[in-house]
Amino acid sequence: MTSGARREVVAGVSVEEVAALGSATLHEAGGRIGALPAAIRPMTPSPSFAGPAVTVLGPPADNLWLHRAVYRCEPGDVLLANFGGAYEWGYWGEVLSRAAAERRIAAVVIDGCVRDLVRLGEVGLPVFARGSAIRGTVKHFDGVGAINGDLVVGEIVVRPGDWVVGDEDGVVVIPRDLMATVVTQAQQRVEKEARFMQELRDGKRTLDLYGFPA
């Protein structure tokens, strides 16, 4: 997560600690909620992040709304964008990553493709996408889009301010009104798994620990 991330606390836990809980643990702890499509993967090294969502809906093959959204974000926000299922364009690149880093945005999640992969890594801002594509975008000034409206990504409805957490495993979205509960449950899950791992090191079998038939 970038150094510009907010230091806000959720359920007595810092943003950095929320990110460290991990996307998979939060997804499971919340009752298997909020998993974005598995095709959305980290495009940059050190991808771990957490923060509240600023949502962006843009027209296919057009990234002007991303430029606008960067300047609607506060430090620590996560920019999450959808382009109506038009994936095969490079909506995000070095220029936008540099601009977003200067705004101290925590991360960018694109339900589409990006480009300039090496230079995105050099900027250091966590960027998640479906892949890379060299096809350039247009910028129609009258293109229909929206910032901070409800957004559908895969099967998940994302609302502005919902918490977005990502890492090497993927991205999860937790509704903001559930965040404190889910974080507490995730902490309990981490503690339980630590005890479980110790029992494995002590020689116990997964079959016995889970009560599975041999």
Side-chain angles (χ1 to χ4, degrees), residues 52-180:
V54 170
T55 60
V56 186
L57 177 64
D62 188 327
N63 76 344
L64 178 56
W65 284 91
L66 285 174
H67 286 266
R68 291 168 172 159
V70 164
Y71 298 98
R72 293 280 294 274
C73 289
E74 298 294 332
D77 284 341
V78 174
L79 198 158
L80 198 160
N82 179 284
F83 299 91
Y87 305 133
E88 296 295 323
W89 281 266
Y91 291 99
W92 188 272
E94 181 186 13
V95 169
L96 278 169
S97 258
R98 179 57 64 190
E102 293 301 315
R103 295 285 295 174
R104 297 186 294 164
I105 293 172
V108 175
V109 180
I110 305 289
D111 191 13
C113 289
V114 299
R115 60 184 187 180
D116 303 335
L117 291 186
V118 171
R119 291 187 288 278
L120 293 186
E122 293 170 352
V123 172
L125 175 75
V127 176
F128 284 64
R130 287 179 175 261
S132 60
I134 62 174
R135 296 169 73 181
T137 55
V138 296
K139 296 165 181 62
H140 291 304
F141 294 172
D142 58 352
V144 177
I147 298 171
N148 277 337
D150 290 357
L151 198 67
V152 179
V153 182
E155 301 173 350
I156 305 303
V157 177
V158 185
R159 295 177 174 85
D162 285 351
W163 276 75
V164 189
V165 181
D167 52 30
E168 293 86 349
D169 289 330
V171 182
V172 65
V173 175
I174 308 296
R176 57 185 168 183
D177 58 340
L178 298 180
M179 189 62 183

Side-chain angles (χ1 to χ4, degrees), residues 42 44-45 66 118 129 175 182 187 213:
T44 53
L66 285 174
V118 171
V182 172
Q187 290 173 311

